[in-house]
Amino acid sequence: MIIDASLGRATCCGFPGSFPQPVPPPVPPIPLPPTEPDAIQVQLATAQTALANGAAVPLTTVSRQIGNGLSFNAATSAVTVNEPGVYLFNWHVLVQATAENDPVISLQSLDGQTVLGLSGAPNASTTDGTVVSGSAVAALPAGTSWVLVNATGEPINIPVAGTAPSTYAASMTVTEVSGSENR
């Protein structure tokens, strides 16, 4: 057998190309990576005294953000859904009730017309504070904005970050579970 490097093929017995050339297998298409879900986490790190009933919990800081399907407006404390999809909301608020009512936090639309979830703390300690946590899942259209609201029926206090039993004053995380491109 003679290998002719200049022609890039093998020959035998004087017959060029007498060995069958291997046929390369078909190359499968490279799959595109799935769209990464959008997510945002916003927090409040300062104390709030006498947050009025019906007032938005004043979240102030974006601590993490993935993608651009969600945005935050510090002036309204609202997270806006920029792309239609299914979203999971999780929230935690360290609350000290100022009187007899149990603390209640509502996740609602910025205009107050839609409530996605309520969370409360029955028999909460008014001196040490208690963490009020909740979650909600909803299919939402683009352009809707969502806030956490004091729904206790009276003012509440939100202690400073780092006060036991919590290392934060308030936190809300919104994660896209399924976007419109996945349907």
Side-chain angles (χ1 to χ4, degrees):
M1 177 152 107
I2 302 169
I3 298 187
D4 185 346
S6 67
L7 298 176
R9 62 180 184 236
T11 62
C12 176
C13 309
F15 299 104
S18 59
F19 290 115
Q21 298 297 316
V23 176
V27 177
I30 297 173
L32 296 174
T35 303
E36 187 172 272
D38 296 308
I40 193 167
Q41 182 178 29
V42 291
Q43 295 180 324
L44 169 67
T46 59
Q48 297 295 307
T49 304
L51 181 67
N53 183 59
V57 174
L59 301 170
T60 56
T61 306
V62 174
S63 58
R64 288 181 180 76
Q65 184 161 6
I66 299 170
N68 58 5
L70 297 161
S71 58
F72 176 69
N73 182 332
T76 61
S77 298
V79 171
T80 299
V81 173
N82 298 321
E83 301 169 353
V86 177
Y87 291 87
L88 169 64
F89 292 78
N90 288 298
W91 64 90
H92 312 282
V93 181
L94 180 60
V95 175
Q96 291 174 320
T98 58
E100 297 299 318
N101 290 340
D102 294 328
V104 176
I105 300 296
S106 171
L107 172 64
Q108 64 187 44
S109 58
L110 184 59
D111 64 9
Q113 298 299 308
T114 304
V115 174
L116 290 182
L118 292 167
S119 57
N123 304 315
S125 167
T126 58
T127 55
D128 295 335
T130 190
V131 177
V132 176
S133 298
S135 63
V137 176
L140 300 172
T144 56
S145 298
W146 304 93
V147 293
L148 295 177
V149 173
N150 173 16
T152 303
E154 63 190 31
I156 59 172
N157 294 326
I158 301 175
V160 69
T163 304
S166 179
T167 58
Y168 52 84
S171 173
M172 180 168 64
T173 303
V174 184
T175 306
E176 180 184 28
V177 177
S178 173
S180 60
E181 72 281 348
N182 297 331
R183 293 185 197 153

